[in-house]
Amino acid sequence: MELQRRSGILLHPTSLPGTPGVGTIGAAARAFVDWLAESQQTLWQILPLGPTGYGDSPYASFSTFAGNPLMIDLEDVVARGWAEAAIIVPPDYIKTAGPVDFGAVVWWKMPVLKAAATYFLQHASAQDASAYKKFVAEQGFWLENYSLFMSIKEFYDRKSQEEQVHGAMWSTYWPSELARHEKKAVQQWLAQHQQEVEIQKVIQFFFFTQWQELKVYANGKGIAVIGDIPIFVAADSADVWANQHLFQLDEDGRATAVAGVPPDYFSATGQLWGNPLYDWEAMAAEGYEWWLARIKAALELVDYIRIDHFRGFEAYWAVPAGEETAVKGQWLPGPGHRLFQAIRESLGDIPIIAEDLGVITEEVRRLRDDFELPGMKILQFAFDLKEAGQGGCVNAFLPHMYSPNCVVYTGTHDNDTMEGWLSTASEEELALIGEYLEGPGKTCPRKDLYRRLVQLALSSTAKFAVIPLQDIYGLGSQARINTPSTSDGTNWIWRMEDWMLVGEQSTEVVSWLKRLGLLYGRNVVAVVEPLEKGSETPQG
């Protein structure tokens, strides 16, 4: 896939402002799209959209196909006549500003959504009922199993809490016949819990209706959406429960080995993700049908797909189940070219961005390049002194080393913010940045240095440049979205504030981004006229 020169912003919908408890995909999302359009940005990158569980990570979802109910905009649900206004009034402890308290939001919002779904089933107009029926028919290949899974899960989660059983999940706590997804047991559950299962389907209908309309709105403003799917799926998910033969599990449904990465930039003991690993031979025997369905479903929601941990397709780090860290793993071969050939034959030249960070070998590069998949470049990795060398800077993350068909970021969701990173950078690193920006022996002011680095990303030869919103506003480490290998309750909770979309500072940032886009030929088809002498020099 050959990219066209564009730029945009990385921001997950849960970080949007102005709605009770958590960002949603209603009016606030449209306001953000308007802000992007005003800034002449034509890319909006998000994180995975699936329903999150323990830890609140969008990379550990109950389903790779489903949408996160917490993102549903309740005011929009009422406006459509799908619920009564009285039920959506939040309690006092649910705030419209500040960090997301996922536990409190789930406690309040999920019962509200279920009440709205019940109301919808009783009062939906003929047109809405028809749209819902069509949705169920089109999405049935995943929706039926997901809705069953969530119904069973909620029942046994409550039971485990009453019995004070910790860490209960389908493979360790459900009755064996349900855990094994036996047809008779599943049908019996559906017969006894049909209303609960149907409510789960309606909630997904709410999400998909709102998201599809938001995507149409964004596309209508010239903005493409970059989605994100992690290579692996969560153990506690409908994906694994309903497709156990496609994963490396024992006869009880428990993983025999789990996913992670060896020690790297982020962690001295590696990252132990704990996801069950695919049985790639079983996948191949079915023509990779599950993966094809996954990518097709993602492309219904977004315009481009970033696949997290792309290198795992060439070889993956397998850690024996039960290990406390990822150190004692081994590299095992993935599906490699076979999978992507099947994707190309089925779907054509699809818009995939390869997250090719970490331990990257020549074989991984060949897999990426043979299918012309854009890779990623991270500016925070560009000024590593260990990579500078004696004779000059040959670090692959420095802009002069880029091949154009790539995506450059100042940082990702796993990095500190640029301002936070700069605040802890060594004098030697800052000196290297100064020389790179100003020339040999030169330095540059520390003040607003984050802006110089945003400008460096946009001026690079990378076809796509995507900047986290936090780096556009120079926010410090308090705005970091995730710290890998931690679970202290501070991840995924950051929300932007209203002033970042409206007001004097927002107006100045919009003007700055527009000017950068013109200067560096992004998002516009126009010739940039040089500034006249005496005119104001653009910031950055």
Side-chain angles (χ1 to χ4, degrees), residues 56 100 486-493:
D56 311 309
V100 179
T486 65
S487 56
D488 59 2
T490 62
N491 293 331
W492 318 112
I493 65 175

Side-chain angles (χ1 to χ4, degrees), residues 461-478:
T461 59
K463 290 292 184 69
F464 277 14
V466 178
I467 314 297
L469 186 76
Q470 296 95 314
D471 291 351
I472 295 296
Y473 282 100
L475 305 181
S477 297
Q478 76 281 359

